[in-house]
Amino acid sequence: MSKQREHWGSRFGFILAAAGSAVGLGNIWKFPYITGENGGGLFVLIYLFCIAIVGIPIMIAEIIIGRSSQKSPVGAFAALAGKNSNWKYVGWLGVFSGFIILSYYSVVAGWALNYTFMSLSNFFDGKSPDEIGSIFGVMYGASGINLFWHAVFMMLVIGVVIAGVKSGIEKWNRILMPILILIFVVLAIISIFLSGWGDAVQFVFYPHFDALKPSGVLEALGHAFFTLSLGMGAMLTYGSYLKKSANVPKAAMLISVLDTGVALLACMVMFPIIFTYGYSPEAGPGLVFKTLPIIFSEIGDFGMFISFVFFLLLVFAALSSAVSLLEVVTSYFIDEKGWSRHKATLITGGAIFLFGIPSALAGSSALFPEWEGMYGKNFFDTFDYLASNWMLPLGGLFIAIYAGWVMDPALRKAEFTSGSKLTQSNIYIGWLFFLKFIAPVAVFLIILQRVGLIDIDALLR
Ligand code: TRP
């Protein structure tokens, strides 16, 4: 198999695609609501800290593993560590995580599609806040509607991935990412004129020391993983389409800054609205779908337009992330099994759609009605929990250990410094320190807390 590996058209294309992967439902849907639940400022500060000391070092490691091997996760570990080494199971874990995450991610993205579509019909017109909020529940329990939008979203994802790295993933990210950032900046500027803006700034940027439980620190760390698309080889796979001339540390910095910028912008769009209209910042996962339309409805005629734009944005962000999830799974079959991109995308995308059906039907309990009684969570939440709390941190831990302790030091250094004019030796040593010691210890702590072996809240009380 001496087929030439596809590469990004430009370094900027890679950065946009990787940023597209990072910026997603995690930034716009999840970050504002967990910030609200964890009391604001201090949580945000700790999250920024986690991005800097754990996220960026592991992102550099993932990209380097991908670029040096020019392979997707399973092949990458086989190429670097040896065909029979157990490290390739880390690659397998990644493929498996991608499969699972996309299956339910697509369902949430389907809700965003549904709300985009509903906005066109001005669905909140003349309704009371309670009635608007209850629409979410109606949708959640409507099996056919969930299935329909899940299918539509998966078709969009397949459509992008099937066109390939440069003319599919890169092209669409070039179009979607700038629009996304532009619209967000416009919405954030509109928010400045709301009377609640001052309170929002205070809430998001001023550390309130009594509002955060120590376990919130672990939540911040776990979210840093999810939001930067780390721990399952998505960045590794994107890195494998990168040429040697790119400066990896600089790219990782830029991607992380963009990702964090959008998360903070999302807060600065949502919290001014929340404080202006006197809603609680602790509204939970329904924040985007239940609270925002209430506010859109109060804006008047213009509200329908803002609602449409906002949910479309959420769809774009979810699409560019979902594409990276599918690419990990698809590229395994392309690289390791020699399938054509066409065949690999259709089969893996189709399989993920099928596996997502019980998640799409979770709200109506139309399939597996006994699931929740048996496992304590419905199908959707079970797999979200498994992936975000187990598979990603474990994958991240192994990636940090591999790049920090096992990988050939000469290769690691050459990869880190290639593409930059400086030898960067101090920066290199600093990175290695974080990768070898800080990141593994931090991730290990999350895992211990999750298993229940330690209870940080009790320890630090
Ligand atoms: N980072 C995306 C978000 O914030 C989700 C995502 C895409 C992801 N690819 C990933 C998460 C790979 C973990 C691993 O919504």
Side-chain angles (χ1 to χ4, degrees):
M1 275 210 310
S2 56
K3 209 169 62 186
Q4 180 71 36
R5 190 172 186 76
E6 246 195 294
H7 283 104
W8 304 108
S10 72
R11 259 173 272 170
F12 188 58
F14 161 73
I15 288 172
L16 277 184
S21 164
V23 174
L25 296 171
N27 305 59
I28 304 171
W29 166 67
K30 195 165 181 203
F31 184 66
Y33 92 70
I34 58 176
T35 297
E37 286 177 342
N38 285 292
L42 187 57
F43 177 80
V44 173
L45 204 68
I46 290 170
Y47 158 82
L48 293 176
F49 203 65
C50 293
I51 296 275
I53 68 167
V54 181
I56 296 177
I58 293 189
M59 185 184 292
I60 296 174
E62 270 204 32
I63 299 175
I64 279 179
I65 294 174
R67 186 177 64 175
S68 63
S69 62
Q70 296 282 301
K71 293 247 163 55
S72 52
V74 177
F77 282 104
L80 295 179
K83 237 183 157 36
N84 298 318
S85 98
N86 288 328
W87 285 103
K88 66 173 188 295
Y89 294 111
V90 178
W92 268 108
L93 180 69
V95 174
F96 202 57
S97 311
F99 189 94
I100 289 183
I101 296 176
L102 184 53
S103 76
Y104 66 81
Y105 200 84
S106 165
V107 174
V108 181
W111 299 344
L113 270 172
N114 173 60
Y115 270 75
T116 311
F117 190 68
M118 284 201 305
S119 303
L120 289 176
S121 63
N122 218 354
F123 69 99
F124 41 68
D125 196 30
K127 293 201 174 68
S128 72
D130 282 350
E131 284 170 331
I132 294 175
S134 67
I135 293 174
F136 180 77
V138 173
M139 179 205 67
Y140 188 51
S143 47
I145 290 177
N146 273 276
L147 263 187
F148 174 72
W149 291 113
H150 168 51
V152 172
F153 186 76
M154 278 311 297
M155 283 194 267
L156 291 175
V157 182
I158 290 172
V160 174
V161 172
I162 212 166
V165 174
K166 197 154 79 183
S167 40
I169 301 175
E170 179 171 347
K171 187 181 104 190
W172 280 100
N173 272 295
R174 269 179 192 278
I175 300 170
L176 297 183
M177 283 305 290
I179 300 179
L180 186 142
I181 291 172
L182 183 78
I183 295 180
F184 244 114
V185 169
V186 171
L187 284 178
I189 291 174
I190 295 178
S191 285
I192 295 179
F193 297 101
L194 294 171
S195 62
W197 194 74
D199 289 342
V201 172
Q202 164 88 6
F203 182 76
V204 177
F205 294 105
Y206 185 82
H208 315 267
F209 284 94
D210 47 350
L212 185 72
K213 285 196 296 180
S215 59
V217 176
L218 296 182
E219 192 165 358
L221 184 56
H223 185 65
F225 262 90
F226 189 84
T227 192
L228 292 178
S229 300
L230 298 178
M232 55 149 276
M235 289 297 167
L236 190 160
T237 306
Y238 275 15
S240 76
Y241 304 124
L242 199 56
K243 294 178 188 154
K244 297 284 178 208
S245 54
N247 179 340
V248 173
K250 199 166 126 198
M253 284 293 271
L254 238 153
I255 296 160
S256 307
V257 167
L258 274 172
D259 183 71
T260 309
V262 173
L264 294 177
L265 269 180
C267 284
M268 289 322 292
V269 170
M270 258 169 257
F271 286 114
I273 305 178
I274 287 164
F275 285 113
T276 302
Y277 292 96
Y279 294 106
S280 160
E282 290 148 58
L287 194 68
V288 168
F289 296 109
K290 291 183 187 167
T291 316
L292 279 181
I294 296 177
I295 293 130
F296 295 144
S297 78
E298 297 192 11
I299 295 175
D301 297 341
F302 206 50
M304 172 185 145
F305 175 70
I306 297 191
S307 174
F308 173 74
V309 169
F310 181 85
F311 286 112
L312 191 64
L313 200 70
L314 196 57
V315 173
F316 284 177
L319 181 60
S320 55
S321 299
V323 160
S324 72
L325 290 162
L326 181 56
E327 179 64 21
V328 171
V329 186
T330 300
S331 62
Y332 167 75
F333 290 95
I334 298 174
D335 289 350
E336 303 303 311
K337 300 284 169 207
W339 290 9
S340 70
R341 176 166 283 273
H342 216 81
K343 174 176 163 191
T345 314
L346 286 175
I347 292 182
T348 54
I352 291 170
F353 166 72
L354 292 178
F355 192 75
I357 290 178
S359 287
L361 301 182
S364 60
S365 309
L367 199 60
F368 307 143
E370 312 83 3
W371 190 283
E372 187 152 0
M374 202 84 102
Y375 305 107
K377 288 183 168 60
N378 66 30
F379 190 89
F380 180 102
D381 294 330
T382 304
F383 283 94
D384 180 25
Y385 174 81
L386 268 181
S388 339
N389 293 332
W390 283 103
M391 300 165 90
L392 294 181
L394 270 179
L397 179 64
F398 287 127
I399 288 167
I401 292 176
Y402 183 79
W405 297 92
V406 183
M407 191 176 179
D408 171 22
L411 177 62
R412 178 174 62 207
K413 182 158 191 186
E415 281 290 330
F416 186 92
T417 47
S418 94
S420 73
K421 289 178 207 80
L422 307 162
T423 52
Q424 292 184 333
S425 75
N426 284 338
I427 303 178
Y428 177 71
I429 290 166
W431 169 66
L432 208 53
F433 173 74
F434 282 109
L435 192 67
K436 278 188 156 169
F437 302 105
I438 307 290
V441 169
V443 178
F444 197 60
L445 282 179
I446 313 191
I447 293 172
L448 288 185
Q449 165 90 9
R450 298 287 190 211
V451 200
L453 281 179
I454 55 170
D455 179 355
I456 294 226
D457 288 338
L459 280 178
L460 296 183
R461 189 161 305 147

